[in-house]
Amino acid sequence: MATFLYKLGRLSFRRRHFVALIWVALLTLAGVGAASAPAAGNSSFSIPGTEAQKAFDLLEQRFPGTSADGATARVVFKAPSGEKMTDPGNKATVQETVKELSDGSEVVRVTDPYRAKAVSKDGSIAYAQVSYKVSGMELDDAAKDALKDSAQDAREAGLTVEIGGDALQAVPHTGSSEIIGIAVAAVVLVITFGSLVAAGLPLLTALIGVGIGVSAITGLASALDLGSTTSTLAMMIGLAVGIDYALFIVSRYRAELAEGREREEAAGRAAGTAGSAVVFAGLTVVIALVGLSVVNIPMLTKMGIAAAGTVAIAVLIALTMVPALLGYAGRKVRPMGEKGKLLGRAKKQEKPAEPAKPNLGTRWASFVVRRPVAVLLLGVIGLGAAAVPATSLELGLPDDGSQPTSTTQRRAYDLLSEGFGPGFNGPLMVVVDAKDSDDPKAVFAETGDAIKGLKDVVTVTPAQPNKAGDTATITVIPGSKPSSVTTENLVHGIRDAGTGIKADTDANVLVTGSTAMNIDVSEKLNDALVPYLVLVVGLAFLLLIVVFRSILVPLKAALGFLLSVMAALGAVVAVFQWGWLSGLMGVEQTGPVMSMMPIFMVGVVFGLAMDYEVFLVTRMREAYVHGEKPAQAVVTGFRHGARVVTAAAVIMMAVFAGFIGSSESMVKMIGFGLAIAVFFDAFVVRMAIVPAVLALLGRKAWWLPRWLDRALPNVDVEGEGLRTASGDDDGDRELVRV
């Protein structure tokens, strides 16, 4: 592989005009496609195989034309202190508002609170429900403005009015913090390279790669039903890995120049050595992201595949466009150790220079090698302490109750809880399929009576049959809030009762609604976590065996990843569930961690963690196979790789942290989780635990059975083929067979 990438790097350097033209053309084509593509609607959320999804599909079939997936709005009214909603003046205001709401072209129906008995027992609160033909993301601005104007008219009449539901759903924004993240990355690159030109190359190539990836996602969003979160995730990961991959190749290029090689040769060798590490690091990320498809949640699958595509683009750009731009830069990218004008050019010395002082990476690695046990224990205990909050992990999906208290959706949620009880915001819809029963009406009545006898049931509405009379819906109001364990037990209780009804009457009783869907999602994700871990970690483990030609090094990498991801989950729980530092992170409302967060973090963090493992440990193996002792190889790897790995980690953290400013809680949580995970993995696991373990293992770290050594393909990540071909092996070193 190193030889092929070496030739590709030299070709890209020589044919830089052609390479640059190809990537600019692809960016232009993707941009035109995104601009001309129809606007994407709200991504559908389906969970194949779950009872809640089966019930939803049955409703679509048996109750046609009801727009079950259309947007809804709950306009909640509260009377002034000392008054009631049944007072003539307040009643007239509400009825006028209902009339105004009914005039919209996209409105299917509006319920009158007084006819639907949607007035609280004390008479202080009432609500009208508005149903629309289309989803919240597809609603015209005119329809949203009409909804807001109607509420404002009622406020001016003296009522407190708030609007809940998804009708006012807006496209999330990330705010200025995303730009701040990129700015931090730029500063780190300038400090690392000491040159604006060298620092600009990784930023430019990363932005081109992300531009192509996100534009392609935008162009295909309508056709493939991709949500807004998909492009945000692709941008987040694409920027991070795009900058890092280019950073590693530019750094290796400068190191090759420092050894006296010509620029084209240096570009080829950078692509052959660092480029090989980029390919395998990118493969681990792609495996982890594509592996999300095993969960069988379409939205998660699409997010993973789209982000994986952006990572693949970042790898290709690093291997081709970075060498091409290095050709354009010429002497403006200087050899390693030689400062540019920005930080002061190094003066030529007329007499031999004194031995250079060991850099920080060398000094740190030497310290770890001398005291491996102490460093290992400190790192493991520290990550273990950070992981403690993860034992209190509560999972759920966000609803209006998780919105900031400043939003009208959250205030409407609180008013409904005040007037009708906490369970009113999470009603359960029971669908009774009595098509195979002899007496459907009797089945409907029996089901309602069975549900009334369960604990934590406040209200059970009469069955509402369809026109054919073979299917009916029953609405159940729990006594507890949607995210409570009590409500989850009620859902399972209804399903258990349905099993007995089916045995007696051949009727199917299904429970759906947002609350039931959340419960099913959590269970599905929990069930998929172990198979996903086995698949992703197993494939990556095999890949790393090929890269490092070792058993213990990949095993150590996987165990270190588990430590970092558990510590990161603990930090997420502490901030988003417990509220620690919530003000600093802009978390206005604490609550359960999103159900998909653990499995998503496992996938993404594993892929990113292997980046640093590959980049850092390949340098160690390169030194070891050329005759250095195991402990000295660890120090050598840090001398060459610690500075650039540190810069890459800081850049990745800055990019991820930039998304903490997003208005969408899911993006905010993912941004924080990935940023803190990179911190734990890069600076604790890879910079401390890894060298400590390698120092303790010694030569055993690089042991591989001879039969497996013969069976594995030689991918030559260290670029040994390049040295052999050019005859520049060090004469005083003997190649070690491992």
Side-chain angles (χ1 to χ4, degrees), residues 484-494 519:
S484 68
V485 176
T486 306
T487 301
E488 181 178 349
N489 292 336
L490 174 59
V491 170
H492 290 302
I494 296 174
I519 293 170

Side-chain angles (χ1 to χ4, degrees), residues 575 579-587 660 668:
V575 173
W580 293 5
L581 302 177
S582 57
L584 181 63
M585 298 297 167
V587 180
I660 296 175
K668 181 188 293 288

Side-chain angles (χ1 to χ4, degrees), residues 623-683:
Y624 177 72
V625 299
H626 283 86
E628 291 190 7
K629 294 181 179 179
Q632 183 57 38
V634 171
V635 176
T636 300
F638 267 77
R639 182 172 70 248
H640 291 294
R643 177 182 175 88
V644 69
V645 167
T646 299
V650 172
I651 288 170
M652 194 171 281
M653 287 168 57
V655 172
F656 288 148
F659 288 84
I660 296 175
S662 174
S663 62
E664 186 167 321
S665 59
M666 179 177 178
V667 175
K668 181 188 293 288
M669 192 178 294
I670 289 174
F672 172 79
L674 294 184
I676 197 68
V678 169
F679 172 78
F680 287 143
D681 195 85
F683 293 107

Side-chain angles (χ1 to χ4, degrees), residues 363-373 375 687-688 690-693 695:
R363 297 197 300 273
W364 169 250
S366 300
F367 170 79
V368 174
V369 168
R370 290 196 304 270
R371 295 175 176 82
V373 176
V375 172
M687 291 288 188
V690 165
V693 171

Side-chain angles (χ1 to χ4, degrees), residues 53-109:
Q53 186 63 45
K54 292 176 182 177
F56 184 82
D57 295 339
L58 185 64
L59 286 174
E60 290 282 318
Q61 178 185 349
R62 303 286 175 85
F63 292 82
T66 57
S67 300
D69 58 346
T72 59
R74 277 181 170 177
V75 183
V76 187
F77 306 89
K78 184 175 183 179
S81 179
E83 299 182 17
K84 293 186 177 182
M85 291 305 305
T86 52
D87 293 345
N90 294 335
K91 185 174 181 179
T93 299
V94 171
Q95 290 177 330
E96 179 63 27
T97 303
V98 170
K99 183 179 179 182
E100 291 179 14
L101 292 171
S102 303
D103 294 337
S105 60
E106 294 181 322
V107 175
V108 176
R109 61 185 171 275

Side-chain angles (χ1 to χ4, degrees), residues 34-213:
S36 59
N42 189 28
S43 178
S44 60
F45 186 80
S46 62
I47 314 295
T50 61
E51 180 173 316
Q53 186 63 45
K54 292 176 182 177
F56 184 82
D57 295 339
L58 185 64
L59 286 174
E60 290 282 318
Q61 178 185 349
R62 303 286 175 85
F63 292 82
T66 57
S67 300
D69 58 346
T72 59
R74 277 181 170 177
V75 183
V76 187
F77 306 89
K78 184 175 183 179
S81 179
E83 299 182 17
K84 293 186 177 182
M85 291 305 305
T86 52
D87 293 345
N90 294 335
K91 185 174 181 179
T93 299
V94 171
Q95 290 177 330
E96 179 63 27
T97 303
V98 170
K99 183 179 179 182
E100 291 179 14
L101 292 171
S102 303
D103 294 337
S105 60
E106 294 181 322
V107 175
V108 176
R109 61 185 171 275
V110 181
T111 61
D112 186 319
Y114 303 101
R115 294 181 180 178
K117 298 181 180 180
V119 181
S120 62
K121 290 182 179 180
D122 63 3
S124 63
I125 297 174
Y127 73 92
Q129 181 153 316
V130 187
S131 300
Y132 293 90
K133 299 176 182 178
V134 295
S135 65
M137 295 294 285
E138 295 172 317
L139 268 182
D140 289 339
D141 290 339
K144 295 181 180 181
D145 291 339
L147 181 61
K148 296 176 184 177
D149 292 343
S150 299
Q152 185 58 37
D153 291 342
R155 290 190 188 104
E156 293 175 356
L159 298 177
T160 298
V161 186
E162 304 295 346
I163 305 172
D166 60 352
L168 295 183
Q169 185 177 5
V171 177
H173 60 86
T174 56
S176 59
S177 56
E178 176 189 344
I179 305 301
I180 295 174
I182 297 177
V184 171
V187 172
V188 173
L189 287 169
V190 170
I191 294 173
T192 302
F193 292 135
S195 164
L196 288 176
V197 174
L201 289 180
L203 280 176
L204 177 60
T205 54
L207 290 173
I208 290 175
V210 168
I212 294 173

Side-chain angles (χ1 to χ4, degrees), residues 423-440:
F424 192 80
N425 283 293
L428 305 175
M429 179 176 288
V430 179
V431 182
V432 185
D433 178 10
K435 189 173 184 179
D436 297 329
S437 300
D438 298 330
D439 189 354

